[in-house]
Amino acid sequence: MHALIVTAHPDRDAHTHRVADQLQQGITATVHHTVERADLAAEGFDPRFNPGDVAQFKGLAASPPDVLAEQQRVDRADALVLVYPVYWWSFPAQLKGWIDRVFTQGWAYQEQDGRIVKRLGHLPVHLIALGAADTRTYLRHGYFASMRNQIDHGIFDYCGAPVVTSELLLTGDEGYPESHFQQAQQLGQGLFADRRPYDQ
């Protein structure tokens, strides 16, 4: 089985990348499982929704080449994992722009006869958000429900992609940062636990 891990942090030494590294190690520790990393910051992915994206949305043109390349990455994957820091209670702008541009009509979903056809039902999604506030702060302000409404439901359910994991790891967690690395390793090791290698 093959996983695509997507990150968007400009500092390669950041906790985000260290968690993603541990996740990758957990996945590849199991025979036959492979990983591709999409490091959007290092690769310089342009998150700006541009005239080419608008033309695609209106059905006037194909997606721009950089978007098609990202869609091919996702198409190769048996699971999509997003590892990201919480910026202003959401994704970093580059990761949000990746979703804006890559999850296009006709690929991720289709408007047909007045209804939405969800096209990513085959793609399990795992979300690992990394935050700096403590759990009480997030609970007090309703962040957990907000995250699920905005991201789990608002993005992935709209496309039919089942969100299997939705974790918020915080700097105040017991054993931080090692506990985060252990959780990432465990998630990686169990990512395809309910699926046989090379299942279709």
Side-chain angles (χ1 to χ4, degrees), residues 3-33:
L4 175 63
I5 300 175
V6 182
T7 58
H9 198 301
D11 181 359
R12 191 57 188 82
D13 294 326
H15 188 58
T16 297
H17 287 291
R18 296 173 69 195
V19 168
D21 290 342
Q22 294 299 315
L23 176 73
Q24 179 172 347
Q25 288 182 25
I27 295 170
T28 57
T30 305
V31 178
H32 303 307
H33 296 335

Side-chain angles (χ1 to χ4, degrees), residues 37-58:
R37 291 280 287 270
D39 184 342
L40 303 181
E43 295 168 7
F45 179 79
D46 186 352
R48 296 172 298 178
F49 201 80
N50 60 52
D53 300 306
V54 174
Q56 187 282 330
F57 179 77
K58 292 180 176 180

Side-chain angles (χ1 to χ4, degrees), residues 131-136 138 168-177 179-180:
D134 58 37
T135 302
R136 290 178 60 187
Y138 281 107
L168 177 60
L169 306 183
L170 303 172
T171 55
D173 292 341
E174 185 176 354
Y176 167 85
S179 60
H180 290 186

Side-chain angles (χ1 to χ4, degrees), residues 103-114:
F103 284 62
T104 60
Q105 179 172 234
W107 179 79
Y109 67 95
Q110 183 71 53
E111 294 184 19
Q112 182 176 311
D113 300 326

